[in-house]
Amino acid sequence: MADVLQSLTTQNSFIVLQDKLEKWQREYHLNSCDENLNQCCELLELTAKIQGQLFAILNSVAAEGDHTDGVSTLKKRLLPWLGACFSPSISLRKDADHRFSNLSEKERRMTESNSDNHSDLQWMESQLCSTRGQLELVKADLDDAQRDLKKKKNQNANTLMATEDELLQLKKDLREANIQNELYKSKLESYHEFERHMSKLRSDVPHLSSQRLSRSSTSRSPTHASTRTQLTASSRLLRVVSRFNDLYNVERKEAQLQLQGYLNDLETVQRIIFIAVVESFKAAKLAFRLFKLRSRKTLASCHFGPESLEDTVVDYIVRNQDLYDVQNSVEEVLSAMNLNPRIGCIPKVDFSVASPLIREACKLAFTMQTLDPPVDLAFASNGELYINNKYRRSHDSDVSAQLVSHHVWPALMQGGTVRAKGEVVTKKGAAWNRSSLSFVRSRSLSPTRNHLHVKS
């Protein structure tokens, strides 16, 4: 027994217990929950160890006395203490049992709740899957609807484009039909004009016959001789004037229609046609002079008779106009038009579409030079004063304006007489310009000079 007490004293168990309690007190607020629990458990283990040793000493002390020794002490001291110690434990156990039962009930309810929540979650997932499926179907329907809408939109756009193309084609056909109608009207007017000319020619037949009889009855004196060109001068004049009007009514409108395929500006097209006619007369006059020089040189060595050499040369040219190289004149006109600063810079315009007009104008101008006096184009200049017996106004003219804005068709002159009116556009504010288009007639016989010119 003394050994056990000595051992307990030697180990300083209570001092160690005291030190640990003091240390725990100092570090309690610094420790974590787990660290404080570990400290408490360590103190309980140490306390239990000391209590075990004390109960061993208590047992040894009780064994040293008689059977009745220490009973009263144990009854008074140990048993009440033990009862006091274990009574709270029972209450705590009951409380723990109650808490455990509550916890079990909570766990059961939680389990049931979790089960219900799981069921609800499964139901919601199934509903979500169903909703997703419906959403996919709606999305697919929407995509189909969008494709159909896009397809219909493209079809409508194509239909609209086709309708616009058809409308444009109809407008073009209507414009061409109107032009053809105008051509037919012009041809009808030309036909009536031709009938009038034929009537006049028929009326001239007796006069020509009397001239022919007079010629046969007169002497062969050069002063009374007349050539075939002189006898038919009146009829040939009527013929060239009629052809000039036909050129305006037929070939000009056809050239205008062709040029409008390149240009939408009617004024520019009219300027191009006017310049083409002016250049055609210039080229034909030059070709006539050269042709006349060659003919005079050829006929000079073999000429005889009452007629003059000049009349013989003119008569020869009249009978041999098919020798005129009109294609060369057409090429000269096209070259001059391409070099003209007023129209040569127009992009994407092929002047050769006006070749039929240029060819006929050259042939007619060549024939006009065989008349006495020759028939030529009248002087023309932008900004000139409008003269009623020389021009007629176009339908888009300002009738109150007295100045020419631009020329549509030149006037035809013989000497000082207007044989065919030209056509002009009159507008207010049209000023005379030295750089504007102009045309000058010349009676010079020099083949090297440019007598019919266009000023840029």
Side-chain angles (χ1 to χ4, degrees), residues 41-194:
C41 292
E42 185 179 354
L43 292 174
L44 289 173
E45 291 174 355
L46 183 58
T47 304
K49 183 177 179 181
I50 295 173
Q51 286 181 347
Q53 292 177 352
L54 291 174
F55 274 106
I57 294 172
L58 180 63
N59 189 29
S60 299
V61 172
E64 291 178 355
D66 294 334
H67 293 287
T68 60
D69 291 339
V71 174
S72 60
T73 302
L74 291 173
K75 288 181 180 180
K76 293 179 181 179
R77 298 289 303 274
L78 181 60
L79 292 178
W81 177 79
L82 288 175
C85 291
F86 287 100
S87 294
S89 297
I90 294 172
S91 176
L92 291 173
R93 184 172 63 187
K94 289 181 180 180
D95 185 52
D97 291 340
H98 179 69
R99 290 181 180 178
F100 179 76
S101 62
N102 291 336
L103 182 60
S104 299
E105 181 66 21
K106 289 182 179 180
E107 289 180 353
R108 183 182 63 79
R109 291 179 181 176
M110 186 176 295
T111 302
E112 292 177 354
S113 177
N114 289 336
S115 178
D116 294 339
N117 291 336
H118 183 69
S119 300
D120 294 340
L121 182 60
Q122 289 181 343
W123 180 81
M124 292 178 66
E125 288 180 351
S126 64
Q127 291 295 322
L128 180 60
C129 293
S130 177
T131 304
R132 286 177 178 174
Q134 293 177 359
L135 182 61
E136 292 295 332
L137 293 176
V138 172
K139 186 177 180 181
D141 294 339
L142 180 60
D143 293 338
D144 293 339
Q146 288 179 346
R147 284 192 295 268
D148 293 340
L149 180 61
K150 186 176 181 180
K151 183 177 180 180
K152 290 181 180 179
K153 185 177 181 181
N154 293 333
Q155 291 177 351
N156 292 334
N158 294 332
T159 303
L160 181 60
M161 291 178 62
T163 304
E164 290 179 352
D165 293 339
E166 292 175 357
L167 183 59
L168 292 176
Q169 184 63 36
L170 289 175
K171 289 182 178 179
K172 182 178 179 182
D173 294 341
L174 179 60
R175 184 169 63 253
E176 292 178 355
N178 290 333
I179 294 176
Q180 291 295 330
N181 187 33
E182 292 295 330
L183 290 177
Y184 292 145
K185 289 182 178 179
S186 300
K187 289 181 179 179
L188 183 60
E189 293 176 359
S190 300
Y191 176 75
H192 293 321
E193 184 70 20
F194 178 75

Side-chain angles (χ1 to χ4, degrees), residues 8 11 29 38 41 74 96 99 108 120 126 136 138 162 232 242 330 332 369 395 446 448:
L8 184 60
Q11 293 178 358
H29 296 288
N38 288 329
C41 292
L74 291 173
R99 290 181 180 178
R108 183 182 63 79
D120 294 340
S126 64
E136 292 295 332
V138 172
T232 60
S242 177
V330 172
E332 289 179 359
Q369 304 310 304
H395 64 88
S446 173
T448 59

Side-chain angles (χ1 to χ4, degrees), residues 263 337-349 351:
L263 296 171
M337 292 176 68
N338 286 319
L339 295 177
N340 192 301
R342 296 293 301 276
I343 60 175
C345 60
I346 301 175
K348 299 181 180 179
V349 177
F351 296 133

